[in-house]
């Protein structure tokens, strides 16, 4: 199961109800953060996402509301004895190293990498129980070097039970098939893994960070199970959205529709919106399967 | 009225119930912070202490849990248009400037000053409605250069109503007395302010930051209306308290008793203590008028 936890859903200034930006993703016990605004470590405690199991932080861009929480998180990991063998990766655009070092983060377990478009992280291998996944960065439109991230499981295969039964595949033969790609079945017949499996598509989750509506997001989000998109304002603040390189809730829905994603969550909500009914309505007129993020909201994929 | 708001009461690692260290003080509409851990700006929003009216932050020492929140607070002040005419003072021990600049705080309204023992800030003047106050730093025992702070109103005078009545002081004559120090009363008699007032002692609040029990605190806190003292552990963790230069709740009470303060609040509570009944009992055995701080706790003096 992949669990998504919305740890902070405010735009650049927090409110009583919304902490600064961060989206947590738990995959097979490990935790990954997309942005890490001030106070994220405590939001993880509050919403029961293990800060101790954080493996990587993906920073979208270098506005303070998206990265300041790295300092407190690292300080706490240091206090609980994190060692250099248990690396915390922090990925972000050019300038990230200087910014993170400025925060006083000189911990042996911390590895900061400045990245551009393309693959930035991977974990696990396909076909060994887990599918494993990669995270790729893509360019968005929000000032210089701003990035979004695609979390995508590797493609895998599911066993086709009727075919397996017909060929007498059982017990440890499954493991051998996974490990060697073939096995000797009943009667000495050689069975290849492709004979008894069907391809399985990995799950795909796309996080835009801050951005205006742009083709890059649509392309990156194509066919995603979940798109998490900037929706700082409603259409009535179109000018402000345009001037500040942010999307409206309606823009987010347009991207979701064009990219044919399964589900959209709109986040990075300006503190001008205490109630978000109007934002939700605006988005759902374009793309029905939309939610407006709230702090603590969980989605299981 | 002086209002004290406990914005964050945890030791170095926060918990669901306790944010990182900060004590807010409101004096005549202006707000002063003693330490400013990660997430302090949002705690101010939650507990209705105006972040926009913050005039100064007094940092006790340069452990991350005591200053990281300055970055987010400044970012938000910048977002709401704070100008250089409306200075935010940040005071702290040697090294504070480098640390705060590292956080990316290059705002025109920000003035960082490295201080040692002695007066570091003053505001208002005695005898003009408000008494005004000063903040003095004093050395505590918690690593290098750690400071505590004494907030003390200037001494003033209260009008003595029977004496005023007897001499016919009324209406605008009070203002003239305050401004010029004397006034012509009924019958042309010259009345000096000392003739119709009694001395008024200013209120005194002492914040230790992190410290072990030490004579410096006792001296600084002498006769204070309120002592806010480190009480990270209970007596059963004496060794840990000693090794880490922290006080126990009982230590805090000893300081309060020796200094003959009116009231003690113990704060900077380790996340090992979900319940604080035992800490309270330990302290009250030594000094009865003790509270254990909770996030959001308010005291009016």
């Amino acid at each position: 199961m992949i669990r998504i936890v919305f740890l902070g859903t405010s735009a650049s200034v927090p409110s009583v109800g919304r902490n600064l930006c961060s989206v947590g993703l738990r995959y097979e016990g490990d935790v990954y953060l997309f942005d890490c605004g001030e106070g994220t470590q405590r939001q993880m405690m509050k919403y029961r996402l293990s800060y101790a199991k954080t493996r990587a932080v993906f920073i979208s861009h270098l506005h303070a509301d998206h990265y300041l929480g790295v300092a407190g998180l690292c300080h706490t990991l240091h206090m609980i004895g994190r060692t250099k063998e248990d690396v915390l990766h922090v990925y972000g655009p050019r300038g990230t190293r200087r910014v993170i070092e400025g925060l006083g983060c000189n911990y042996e377990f911390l590895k900061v990498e400045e990245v551009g478009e393309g693959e930035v992280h991977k974990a696990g291998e396909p076909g060994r129980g887990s599918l494993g996944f990669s995270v790729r960065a893509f360019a968005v439109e929000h000032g210089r070097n701003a990035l979004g991230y695609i979390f995508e499981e590797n493609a895998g295969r599911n066993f086709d039970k009727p075919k397996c039964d017909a060929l007498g595949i059982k017990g440890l033969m499954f493991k051998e098939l996974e490990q060697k790609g073939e096995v000797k079945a009943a009667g000495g017949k050689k069975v290849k893994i492709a004979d008894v499996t069907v391809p399985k598509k990995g799950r795909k989750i796309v996080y835009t960070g801050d951005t205006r509506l742009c083709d890059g997001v649509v392309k990156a989000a194509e066919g995603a199970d979940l798109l998490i998109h900037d929706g700082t304002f409603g259409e009535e603040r179109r000018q402000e959205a345009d001037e500040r390189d942010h999307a409206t809730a309606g823009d987010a829905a347009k991207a979701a529709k064009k990219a044919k994603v399964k589900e959209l969550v709109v986040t990075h909500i300006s503190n001008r919106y205490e109630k978000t009914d109007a934002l939700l309505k605006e988005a759902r007129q374009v793309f029905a399967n939309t939610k407006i993020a709230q702090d603590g909201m969980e989605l299981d994929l």
Side-chain angles (χ1 to χ4, degrees), chain A residues 224-256:
Chain A
D225 295 278
L226 175 63
L227 170 61
I228 302 166
H229 198 295
D230 177 327
T232 309
F233 301 110
E235 192 55 41
E236 84 288 356
R237 294 190 190 274
R238 162 60 56 199
Q239 195 186 339
E240 197 168 348
D242 286 347
E243 283 170 5
R244 299 188 179 195
D245 280 341
H246 282 296
T248 64
D251 289 340
K254 280 176 198 156

Side-chain angles (χ1 to χ4, degrees), chain A residues 1-195:
Chain A
M1 188 180 75
I2 300 177
R3 169 161 290 182
I4 308 289
V5 185
F6 290 84
L7 297 166
T9 62
S10 80
S12 50
V13 174
S15 65
V16 174
R18 296 182 187 273
N19 201 58
L20 295 150
C21 313
S22 185
V23 176
L25 183 155
R26 190 171 67 209
Y27 187 75
E28 293 174 358
D30 291 326
V31 173
Y32 303 88
L33 297 178
F34 295 90
D35 284 324
C36 184
E38 181 185 8
T40 295
Q41 60 164 331
R42 193 166 174 230
Q43 296 293 95
M44 297 179 85
M45 294 168 186
K46 192 169 175 186
Y47 300 122
R48 297 176 178 280
L49 196 66
S50 171
Y51 58 87
K53 291 187 175 160
T54 310
R55 304 287 164 229
V57 182
F58 303 93
I59 295 170
S60 62
H61 63 296
L62 298 180
H63 289 162
D65 51 318
H66 290 256
Y67 67 77
L68 279 176
V70 170
L73 176 62
C74 285
H75 183 254
T76 289
L77 292 175
H78 172 67
M79 295 294 293
I80 63 168
R82 182 111 167 196
T83 62
K84 65 180 175 183
E85 285 72 35
D86 189 5
V87 173
L88 177 72
H89 297 274
V90 173
Y91 301 102
R94 192 147 57 105
T96 300
R97 194 168 289 120
R98 181 184 50 76
V99 162
I100 299 297
E101 281 172 5
L103 296 177
C105 294
N106 299 313
Y107 303 103
E108 281 198 325
F109 60 76
L110 183 64
K111 193 174 174 195
V112 181
E113 288 174 64
E114 300 187 353
V115 299
E117 291 189 271
E119 185 173 283
V120 299
H121 186 86
K122 57 181 179 178
E125 286 176 50
R128 306 274 167 112
S130 154
L131 290 178
F133 68 88
S134 68
V135 176
R136 283 174 289 145
F138 63 98
V140 297
E141 296 186 9
H142 184 75
R144 291 217 311 202
N145 302 324
L147 298 171
Y149 291 98
I150 303 165
F151 174 101
E152 189 166 20
E153 275 184 306
N154 299 309
R157 297 184 158 273
N158 277 341
F159 284 103
D160 181 316
K161 193 162 185 308
K163 284 186 183 169
C164 291
D165 289 349
L167 292 165
I169 306 295
K170 57 187 176 182
L172 290 174
M173 295 160 83
F174 287 107
K175 198 173 172 186
E176 199 173 334
L177 263 172
E178 281 192 331
Q179 286 177 352
K180 299 183 181 166
E182 58 179 41
V183 72
K184 267 190 186 159
K189 193 189 170 192
K190 197 182 278 178
V191 174
K192 294 198 169 173
I193 194 161
D195 303 334

